[in-house]
Amino acid sequence: MSGIGKWAALAIGVSLSGMAVAAPAGAELADTLVIHAGAVVAIPGEKPLGPSTIVVRGGRIAEIQPGYLERADVRVIDLKDRTLLPGLIDTHVHFSFSPETKLWAAAVDTPEDVALFAFSNAKKTLEAGFTTVRDVGSDGTSIHALRDAVNEGTVVGPRIFLSGTSLSIVGGHGDMSGLNRKTTEALYPYDYTGACTGGVECALRVREAAKYGADLIKVTSTGGIMSQQARGLGQHLTDEELTAIVTTAHSLGLKVAAHAHGGEGVAASVRAGVDSIEHGTYLDEETAKLMAKRGTWLVPTLGLLDSRKESEASPAVQAKMTEARRVAGRNIRLAVQHKVKFAFGTDAGVSPHGQNARQFRLMVEQGPMTPMAALRSATVDAAALLDQSDNIGTIEVGKYADLIAVAGDPYRDITVTEHVSTVIKDGRVIIHDGRASP
């Protein structure tokens, strides 16, 4: 059955079942939201629906009906001049820092400071239309607290799937450097940073992350562009260490996301069985073919260097930025050419929070990708990477009511996603007409 046929069947089924029961009353009415949309991209990658009514009940989509149906005594959101899309998903963010975060911040910031800062970044992200994120490297205690507070309804923010602290080699990307030894040891003790040596200890770090509530494991397989070392972007963790991490994580039901820039480190990560390559700056054709064969995802983070000025970086970082800019976009072109699965991810935290949608235009320009494919990467495909296709990524009956509205057709002009007028998450209106909802 086609996607539209499936949608029609679901809509008709809900409509018919609704005829047999009385309209919701009392508490149910208070928990019901009706949305009139001019067009609906229900399943990105498929033909949009025309004027439609979406009924939300209990935080999930209860009905999808053609035309504008009136319901008494419930809140109605008028989006007849807007296109409704599923809430967007960014699979690579870092809420506990931003481009302005200083190297010595841990010397003055308390965990409470970091948690509040992370919340402010999460708020910007949600208001930009990203209702779900994967945080792949933030302060462990603070990001866990934020995720749990969002899940419990204590604060409003995007749905968060997190890795907590990244795993790395001693002195590698993710293990703090750039400060004097006493300061580094005081602020970033060895076990706190996720550093590990050898297969046994790396497996231990995975088990610790699982113990303290990680949703996935993040590993830094290679050097990093923004880390304060002049050690390039080559492979850091050994094949043995990578295999130990992946084997242990998978045995615990956790996926592994591998930060990997240099070609050898990307290839080693894929051979070890990681689930996604983050960045993949120096992805080559042979490894792209292997990723396609194995089903390894690419999260290209094309905006990683967007708005970053080399003049403001240390000499070590400047050299790596220059090197990475030289091959910018090659990873996504190879992914498109060889049909590698890819999901939308920005590296927000290294790039500004709340400007996540700017990456869509880069995907279209550098891919080159169609706007439709770019949008799908931040909805249907990102949901698949997160194993959340039953809940998010499309507008279908039974799924979370995560919805955004834009002015225009994103299939023709993907930049309309940079100006979201309405954001609804779990059926709760976050912003409407560009203003926070009361």
Side-chain angles (χ1 to χ4, degrees), residues 184-270:
T184 300
E185 290 175 352
L187 296 176
Y188 303 99
Y190 173 61
D191 58 349
Y192 173 80
T193 64
C196 59
T197 301
V200 172
E201 188 174 34
C202 287
L204 171 63
R205 292 283 182 261
V206 172
R207 292 180 178 124
E208 287 175 341
K211 175 181 179 179
Y212 294 115
D215 299 305
L216 68 143
I217 299 299
K218 165 73 177 301
V219 56
T220 55
S221 303
T222 74
I225 292 174
M226 307 311 294
S227 51
Q228 303 298 315
Q229 310 128 328
R231 299 191 183 95
L233 300 173
Q235 182 175 348
H236 276 185
L237 285 152
T238 66
D239 290 359
E240 176 199 2
E241 290 165 337
L242 285 169
T243 299
I245 289 168
V246 172
T247 301
T248 305
H250 286 176
S251 74
L252 297 171
L254 300 176
K255 287 188 173 182
V256 179
H259 156 110
H261 287 289
E264 290 183 3
V266 174
S269 299
V270 175

Side-chain angles (χ1 to χ4, degrees), residues 168-385:
S168 72
I169 66 166
V170 176
H173 183 65
D175 187 31
M176 177 54 67
S177 59
L179 302 171
N180 68 51
R181 182 165 183 163
K182 287 186 177 180
T183 303
T184 300
E185 290 175 352
L187 296 176
Y188 303 99
Y190 173 61
D191 58 349
Y192 173 80
T193 64
C196 59
T197 301
V200 172
E201 188 174 34
C202 287
L204 171 63
R205 292 283 182 261
V206 172
R207 292 180 178 124
E208 287 175 341
K211 175 181 179 179
Y212 294 115
D215 299 305
L216 68 143
I217 299 299
K218 165 73 177 301
V219 56
T220 55
S221 303
T222 74
I225 292 174
M226 307 311 294
S227 51
Q228 303 298 315
Q229 310 128 328
R231 299 191 183 95
L233 300 173
Q235 182 175 348
H236 276 185
L237 285 152
T238 66
D239 290 359
E240 176 199 2
E241 290 165 337
L242 285 169
T243 299
I245 289 168
V246 172
T247 301
T248 305
H250 286 176
S251 74
L252 297 171
L254 300 176
K255 287 188 173 182
V256 179
H259 156 110
H261 287 289
E264 290 183 3
V266 174
S269 299
V270 175
R271 289 194 305 268
V274 302
D275 299 282
S276 65
I277 294 293
E278 313 294 310
H279 315 304
T281 305
Y282 289 88
L283 177 66
D284 57 39
E285 191 159 15
E286 181 179 353
T287 305
K289 291 178 180 178
L290 181 61
M291 290 177 69
K293 181 179 179 180
R294 289 187 168 223
T296 311
W297 291 81
L298 175 68
V299 180
T301 65
L302 300 181
L304 187 151
L305 297 175
D306 192 25
S307 79
R308 300 301 295 242
K309 297 179 180 178
E310 293 179 26
S311 60
E312 297 176 355
S314 67
V317 173
Q318 285 180 19
K320 290 181 285 187
M321 290 173 70
T322 300
E323 190 180 351
R325 281 200 169 101
R326 185 169 51 82
V327 297
R330 186 174 72 179
N331 54 356
I332 193 66
R333 288 191 290 274
L334 283 169
V336 172
Q337 179 184 347
H338 294 288
K339 296 182 172 55
V340 175
K341 296 190 295 185
F342 52 85
F344 186 95
T346 61
D347 214 357
V350 176
S351 57
H353 294 284
Q355 298 180 19
N356 313 59
R358 288 167 58 102
Q359 179 165 287
F360 283 121
R361 67 170 71 203
L362 296 177
M363 297 175 84
V364 171
E365 291 168 359
Q366 296 181 14
M369 294 175 60
T370 64
M372 181 187 293
L375 180 62
R376 186 178 174 90
S377 76
T379 51
V380 176
D381 297 330
L385 174 58

